[in-house]
Amino acid sequence: MLIAENEPWIRAAIVEMVESIGHGIEVVGEATNGLEAWFMIQQLWPTVLITDIMMPEMDGLELIQHIEEEKIPMATIIISGYDNFHYAQKAIRYGVTEYLLKPIQMELLKSTLLRTMEKLTAISEMNHHLIRIQTFFETVNDLEPIVGMKKFSELLDAIFKLKTVNHGAYLSFLRIVQTQLSDLWTATTGISRELINDFKSMNDQMIRRHLSQMLESWFLQPDLNRKEHRQLVTRACEYIQSHYKDDISLMEMAAYSAVSVSHFSLLFKQYTGESLVSYINNVRIEKAKKLLLNTNDKVYMIAENTGFSSQPYFIRVFKSLTGMTPSEYRKRMGG
């Protein structure tokens, strides 16, 4: 599940409520606005999105419109402070699964999520293909060209099989693969590749040749800038170490690193082994451990001083990473 909400304390409260419900629900990302959520969707491929309707950069309805137009398989839940028929009408047009009004009540959110989960079978099957695409592009830097081309051919085979089952998803997956290939090419050469906007007029052989040539051209580049990429991620990690108290966003880190959001996400995951949100949380918890052992500060003060928007959110993240609450950790370590 991905949560998109620009108010940090509301976002933290929603995350906390969602994860306390259980039933195998996992929050894989938190976005501060609609545009950031759109980029994160294309990296994390969640099966459910919870989004506020009013956000900067891109509002919740625009975000869901993009999801609908690109035929991305996911359930969408809108939360809004406005009981507005016009908003609800648009939401229905874009295929929104549920529409909730603020303030969100725990029991209502729980029943909504459980209803949504009952509808996820078909979405989960399509989501499997998205994860397979993302996994390929996260690991392609480490593949020998001959192995990479073989795996890519197998990936295309799986997508082509969807043509008669779900034609919309088939076209969407082809566009996603092409975009990922373009990002690889641009990151390596600094030159944008011209993209095909209409795969409908092409047969499978033409599509395979076009996409395979893009990947082959990338493999044949003499310098894949691996050293430069590693330095980029190192700088990003150093920035996080210095600014962990701030509400750091994916867009902010991509802008700081002077690369696209999608490419930053790919590189960061490749070189650190975890998502940006996960990395930031680990940094914050390590800082919190030091404060727990070396100061007499209250837990709520430590939560605030390490960048967490609320004490309950801090305790939840701390326990998920250490297996104990901050107070238990302090007591066991003799702090």
Side-chain angles (χ1 to χ4, degrees):
M1 186 171 296
L2 176 69
I3 313 294
E5 163 64 60
N6 61 300
E7 293 289 347
W9 67 273
I10 297 178
R11 189 171 70 246
I14 295 171
V15 171
E16 186 181 342
M17 282 194 284
V18 167
E19 295 203 333
S20 69
I21 290 169
H23 293 275
I25 300 171
E26 178 188 358
V27 176
V28 295
E30 302 170 36
T32 59
N33 59 62
L35 188 59
E36 183 177 15
W38 175 240
F39 286 124
M40 291 179 75
I41 285 168
Q42 297 170 76
Q43 294 299 313
L44 301 172
W45 305 118
T47 48
V48 180
L49 166 72
I50 295 181
T51 179
D52 190 7
I53 206 166
M54 300 298 290
M55 294 183 292
E57 305 291 341
M58 179 191 291
D59 67 32
L61 285 176
E62 288 180 274
L63 174 60
I64 289 170
Q65 182 181 1
H66 279 304
I67 293 167
E68 171 65 16
E69 289 173 349
E70 291 298 320
K71 306 299 180 188
I72 295 176
M74 60 188 302
T76 51
I77 299 171
I78 273 188
I79 55 174
S80 174
Y82 304 89
D83 189 4
N84 185 301
F85 178 71
H86 176 66
Y87 285 150
Q89 203 174 29
K90 271 193 168 183
I92 291 169
R93 192 188 315 154
Y94 299 146
V96 169
T97 309
E98 300 277 353
Y99 191 105
L100 299 177
L101 291 176
K102 295 178 181 178
I104 301 171
Q105 302 299 319
M106 177 65 182
E107 286 306 311
L108 180 58
L109 179 61
K110 182 176 181 179
S111 61
T112 298
L113 289 181
L114 294 180
R115 271 198 312 274
T116 302
M117 288 172 68
E118 292 174 0
K119 306 172 185 176
L120 288 182
T121 303
I123 290 174
S124 296
E125 291 174 2
M126 291 296 104
N127 193 262
H128 167 76
H129 291 282
L130 293 172
I131 298 299
R132 183 172 177 180
I133 292 169
Q134 189 60 22
T135 300
F136 174 80
F137 284 102
E138 284 179 353
T139 58
V140 70
N141 263 319
D142 298 322
L143 299 176
E144 293 296 325
I146 190 169
V147 176
M149 295 303 296
K150 181 175 183 295
K151 285 182 176 291
F152 187 65
S153 179
E154 293 169 353
L155 178 64
L156 292 180
D157 288 342
I159 293 174
F160 289 144
K161 287 178 182 177
L162 290 172
K163 193 172 185 177
T164 55
V165 179
N166 189 329
H167 197 260
Y170 155 77
L171 292 174
S172 178
F173 294 165
L174 289 176
R175 287 194 295 270
I176 289 165
V177 167
Q178 181 181 230
T179 300
Q180 296 275 19
L181 286 167
S182 177
D183 282 347
L184 280 178
W185 178 267
T186 304
T188 302
T189 65
I191 304 169
S192 298
R193 289 288 296 261
E194 185 176 346
L195 302 182
I196 291 175
N197 294 319
D198 183 16
F199 284 107
K200 295 177 184 177
S201 60
M202 302 171 65
N203 61 37
D204 290 354
Q205 185 177 358
M206 293 166 65
I207 293 170
R208 183 186 294 274
R209 183 167 61 249
H210 164 68
L211 296 177
S212 296
Q213 283 177 350
M214 286 183 72
L215 181 60
E216 183 182 73
S217 297
W218 178 78
F219 271 125
L220 291 174
Q221 286 300 309
D223 178 17
L224 296 184
N225 294 328
R226 287 188 175 89
K227 183 178 180 181
E228 184 180 328
H229 291 164
R230 190 172 287 107
Q231 290 173 342
L232 179 153
V233 175
T234 299
R235 286 195 301 271
C237 291
E238 289 171 350
Y239 179 91
I240 293 166
Q241 289 286 344
S242 302
H243 296 80
Y244 63 90
K245 295 181 182 181
D246 301 337
D247 188 28
I248 302 171
S249 72
L250 180 60
M251 289 182 68
E252 177 187 345
M253 292 308 306
Y256 174 77
S257 303
V259 295
S260 70
V261 173
S262 58
H263 192 60
F264 176 82
S265 297
L266 189 151
L267 289 177
F268 195 85
K269 180 79 176 287
Q270 180 183 338
Y271 286 103
T272 67
E274 53 190 326
S275 68
L276 178 66
V277 170
S278 176
Y279 184 88
I280 292 170
N281 279 339
N282 273 300
V283 169
R284 287 172 173 166
I285 293 304
E286 288 305 310
K287 302 292 184 183
K289 286 179 179 178
K290 292 179 181 178
L291 292 176
L292 286 165
L293 297 182
N294 299 314
T295 74
N296 294 318
D297 291 351
K298 301 291 187 183
V299 170
Y300 78 88
M301 293 174 61
I302 292 176
E304 184 177 328
N305 289 331
T306 50
F308 288 96
S309 52
S310 71
Q311 180 178 336
Y313 184 41
F314 167 57
I315 293 173
R316 180 185 63 77
V317 174
F318 194 98
K319 189 168 184 178
S320 71
L321 293 177
T322 67
M324 63 190 86
T325 66
S327 297
E328 289 169 343
Y329 175 83
R330 175 180 262 168
K331 185 176 180 180
R332 291 189 190 184
M333 296 296 289

